[in-house]
Amino acid sequence: MLELFSGSVLSETFTLQSLIICTVFSLLFGCLVAMVYMFKNKYSGSLATTLVLLPAMVQIVIMLTSGNIGVGIAVAGAFSLVRFRSIAGTAREIGALFFAMAVGFVTGLGYVFYAFVFLVIIGTASLLLTHFSFGQNSEIRVLKIKIPENLDYEGLFNEVFDKYTQSHDLVKVKTTNMGSLYELTFHIRLISEAMPKAFMDELRLRNGNLNIILGRIGDGDAL
């Protein structure tokens, strides 16, 4: 077991013992990666489970390819693509998945102690950045408003936006309902993190009480 602290646990000959040792540590490290991700963050149970298991899966791929990094990256990279083919992941989710994969790569090469050091450094940095809300500002939200085709949408809602938002940007315009309506998509930053009812009411007064959707990017309302 001294090899855990002095170098790679792998010898020139692949053994079941080395596979078991690396897999156990990969699962332990995966638990720590998941805990780092879950700190002050919204998460799903499926993603947390994936973060626990991903280092072990990547590690096994690396070990079975005899440490061939090129083959390992090609195969293990497919793991991260599975989620994002169907669901748009946030930057934080992508970072957590690559964090877990990196831990698995290092463990798969047999450098368990170095994987632990890497985990401690990156995990600590992530916790500190999250704790101090580094880089966080008012959240960008997606606002979709339908208006009759006879309304001129240029500047139509500016007065309301000036009252309730820090910034607003019209990012898309499309016709809907056989061309009888326009659907406007804005990216906005609210002055308050809450969604004021008065804000929605004033928008409804200007769009003829047609559908209005206000949500977060990634909730299915983004472009």
Side-chain angles (χ1 to χ4, degrees), residues 6 27 35 42 46 53 58 64 71 104 135 156 181 185 190 209:
S6 61
L27 290 172
M35 292 172 65
K42 296 179 181 178
S46 60
L53 298 178
V58 173
L64 293 180
V71 176
L156 179 62
L181 300 174
T185 302
L190 293 171
N209 204 29

Side-chain angles (χ1 to χ4, degrees), residues 135-203:
Q136 292 187 11
N137 202 338
S138 297
E139 186 176 10
I140 297 177
R141 299 181 186 271
V142 175
L143 175 66
K144 290 188 176 183
I145 305 176
K146 289 184 178 179
I147 63 172
E149 62 174 342
N150 61 342
L151 282 182
D152 183 5
Y153 54 80
E154 289 291 341
L156 179 62
F157 303 100
N158 283 355
E159 185 179 342
V160 181
F161 288 151
D162 291 342
K163 184 177 179 180
Y164 292 99
T165 70
Q166 298 180 30
S167 63
H168 63 276
D169 184 26
L170 179 61
V171 294
K172 185 170 71 173
V173 179
K174 73 174 184 178
T175 58
T176 185
N177 197 29
M178 302 294 292
S180 62
L181 300 174
Y182 283 118
E183 183 179 87
L184 313 177
T185 302
F186 296 87
H187 284 179
I188 66 172
R189 292 181 187 271
L190 293 171
I191 293 176
S192 169
E193 285 301 311
M195 298 183 184
K197 180 178 181 298
F199 176 50
M200 301 294 288
D201 289 341
E202 292 192 33
L203 293 175

Side-chain angles (χ1 to χ4, degrees), residues 1 3-4 7-11 14-30 52-64 103-113 115:
M1 296 296 288
E3 290 86 352
L4 291 174
S8 174
V9 300
L10 302 182
S11 61
F14 182 82
T15 64
L16 179 61
Q17 180 184 14
S18 62
L19 175 65
I20 293 175
I21 291 174
C22 289
T23 303
V24 169
F25 277 99
S26 292
L27 290 172
L28 291 175
F29 294 161
V52 173
L53 298 178
L54 187 57
M57 292 187 287
V58 173
Q59 163 249 312
I60 290 174
V61 170
I62 294 296
M63 293 183 72
L64 293 180
V103 172
F105 281 138
V106 180
T107 308
L109 294 173
Y111 295 102
V112 175
F113 177 69

Side-chain angles (χ1 to χ4, degrees), residues 73-163:
I73 291 176
V75 177
F79 296 157
S80 64
L81 294 178
V82 171
R83 173 176 176 79
F84 302 114
R85 285 180 61 87
S86 57
I87 302 176
T90 64
R92 188 181 180 91
E93 289 177 349
I94 296 172
L97 287 170
F98 278 106
F99 183 21
M101 288 176 61
V103 172
F105 281 138
V106 180
T107 308
L109 294 173
Y111 295 102
V112 175
F113 177 69
Y114 295 131
F116 175 72
V117 172
F118 168 73
L119 173 61
V120 170
I121 294 174
I122 301 300
T124 301
S126 177
L127 292 173
L128 289 174
L129 292 172
T130 301
H131 177 71
F132 291 106
S133 302
F134 179 80
Q136 292 187 11
N137 202 338
S138 297
E139 186 176 10
I140 297 177
R141 299 181 186 271
V142 175
L143 175 66
K144 290 188 176 183
I145 305 176
K146 289 184 178 179
I147 63 172
E149 62 174 342
N150 61 342
L151 282 182
D152 183 5
Y153 54 80
E154 289 291 341
L156 179 62
F157 303 100
N158 283 355
E159 185 179 342
V160 181
F161 288 151
D162 291 342
K163 184 177 179 180

